[in-house]
Amino acid sequence: LDQSLYTRFVRLKTPTVDLNLQGRARAEIADLYSWRYKDLGNLSNVLTDKRYRTANGGLSYEYQFINVEDFEGQGESQPSPHFYQNLGEAEYCVAMFMYMRLLGYPAHKISILSTYNGQKALIRDVIKQRCTWNPLFGEPNKVTTVDRFQGQQNDYIIVSLVRTQHVGHLRDVRRLIVTMSRARFGLYVFGRFSLFENCFELAPVFNRFAKRPRKLSLELDEKSCEVDRATGTAGNPTLVKDLPEMWNLLQDQMKAQFQAAAKVVSSGKGRPAAAGPAMS
């Protein structure tokens, strides 16, 4: 039962053809999982097309692991057997989605994934509370589990790894590869770095994550998702200390957008956008 149909064909010595070029994701993102495949390279489009060579506006990196410590004294929780949740990560993932929406990233181009059903339910609850009712944000394309998202992709993927006590089923390299390979332009993973970095099976990926800051790195000078900055180059990065600081940044940005909209209305040129939800 733990074998895919493809694996069964291979073991039956059915003739196969291995693809050795990918044309879906940025080359930098593909590097997170290319080690798992024999001689996996990149098609010319991901090396030359402007969309693949231009940075994600407002974000210093095209992929990053953001370390999340205990929130209000708690990491992972288990309200019922095997129903794992992590409120700090859920809130941080949704805050990331809200930040991207304020910069103009289309909601349907963003998906939020988790490795557990309990966390999927919690993230959906936070989305409903903070985003669904507000036209500034709306909802992501999907909030689902990594397993359910297998075979799918989106431009920007936000991931919650949930666990803080034990690695859990992410130790299965196949699930890890699925997680890392869903994004085309941006991959932002939230979790407890110290837990996963010591897992031998995950080392090839986490060694790459370790080369970048473990605090969310933002480009606050950039006010749009579309910028001319090239990938691999940071502009004027701001490292977000923790979730409360992210909330404060969001409040400032929502206030600025509301004030700008109010000016437009006062000049008789339009209607204001809805105000953002309180971050309490």
Side-chain angles (χ1 to χ4, degrees):
L1 293 177
D2 63 345
Q3 296 180 13
S4 66
L5 181 60
Y6 180 76
T7 299
R8 295 173 188 270
F9 279 135
V10 170
R11 292 188 173 182
L12 289 171
K13 301 189 183 302
T14 303
T16 62
V17 175
D18 293 333
L19 301 180
N20 61 358
L21 294 171
Q22 71 87 26
R24 176 177 65 184
R26 295 184 190 273
E28 297 85 355
I29 294 176
D31 185 56
L32 290 171
Y33 53 86
S34 61
W35 57 271
R36 182 65 176 171
Y37 303 93
K38 182 179 179 181
D39 301 324
L40 181 63
N42 301 289
L43 291 172
S44 61
N45 68 299
V46 304
L47 300 175
T48 60
D49 287 4
K50 182 179 179 180
R51 186 64 192 88
Y52 286 92
R53 303 313 307 159
T54 304
N56 298 329
L59 299 161
S60 301
Y61 301 101
E62 61 282 347
Y63 75 81
Q64 192 180 6
F65 188 103
I66 298 91
N67 184 62
V68 182
E69 295 296 339
D70 287 359
F71 177 64
E72 297 180 345
Q74 187 171 42
E76 71 174 61
S77 61
Q78 195 176 173
S80 60
H82 309 294
F83 199 72
Y84 292 101
Q85 296 184 330
N86 185 317
L87 180 59
E89 287 186 24
E91 291 279 9
Y92 218 149
C93 287
V94 174
M96 179 70 167
F97 168 73
M98 294 168 69
Y99 173 76
M100 295 177 71
R101 290 290 294 126
L102 289 173
L103 287 172
Y105 287 90
H108 71 277
K109 295 292 187 180
I110 306 171
S111 294
I112 303 180
L113 308 182
S114 173
T115 46
Y116 290 89
N117 280 310
Q119 187 72 347
K120 174 191 70 176
L122 182 57
I123 292 172
R124 287 178 175 176
D125 287 344
V126 177
I127 288 283
K128 184 177 180 180
Q129 176 188 2
R130 300 201 182 279
C131 303
T132 302
W133 59 274
N134 194 326
L136 273 178
F137 306 118
E139 296 186 359
N141 177 268
K142 285 189 177 180
V143 177
T144 189
T145 62
V146 170
D147 290 353
R148 294 295 296 269
F149 205 70
Q150 186 169 357
Q152 302 178 60
Q153 60 186 8
N154 208 344
D155 286 359
Y156 307 97
I157 298 292
I158 300 169
V159 180
S160 170
L161 297 185
V162 187
R163 304 298 297 272
T164 58
Q165 298 178 17
H166 302 283
V167 172
H169 58 212
L170 193 67
R171 188 182 295 272
D172 186 331
V173 174
R174 294 169 300 180
R175 184 173 283 110
L176 174 70
I177 296 302
V178 171
T179 306
M180 298 299 113
S181 61
R182 300 304 94 198
R184 282 191 287 260
F185 299 126
L187 174 67
Y188 304 96
V189 183
F190 293 80
R192 185 65 56 86
F193 192 86
S194 60
L195 174 67
F196 297 100
E197 71 170 333
N198 294 319
C199 179
F200 174 79
E201 293 87 346
L202 311 183
V205 171
F206 279 80
N207 288 341
R208 289 165 169 80
F209 279 135
K211 296 177 181 178
R212 297 185 172 181
R214 296 170 200 174
K215 297 183 184 298
L216 180 60
S217 185
L218 305 179
E219 300 290 337
L220 297 180
D221 294 337
E222 296 174 352
K223 305 303 182 183
S224 170
C225 60
E226 297 183 1
V227 295
D228 294 327
R229 179 167 50 89
T231 55
T233 60
N236 183 25
T238 296
L239 296 181
V240 181
K241 178 183 177 182
D242 52 22
L243 177 57
E245 183 173 343
M246 185 65 175
W247 281 341
N248 290 334
L249 288 172
L250 280 173
Q251 288 283 30
D252 291 342
Q253 292 208 343
M254 287 186 289
K255 181 179 179 180
Q257 287 206 10
F258 185 79
Q259 290 174 340
K263 289 182 180 179
V264 172
V265 171
S266 64
S267 66
K269 296 181 179 180
R271 298 174 59 189
M279 294 290 148
S280 59

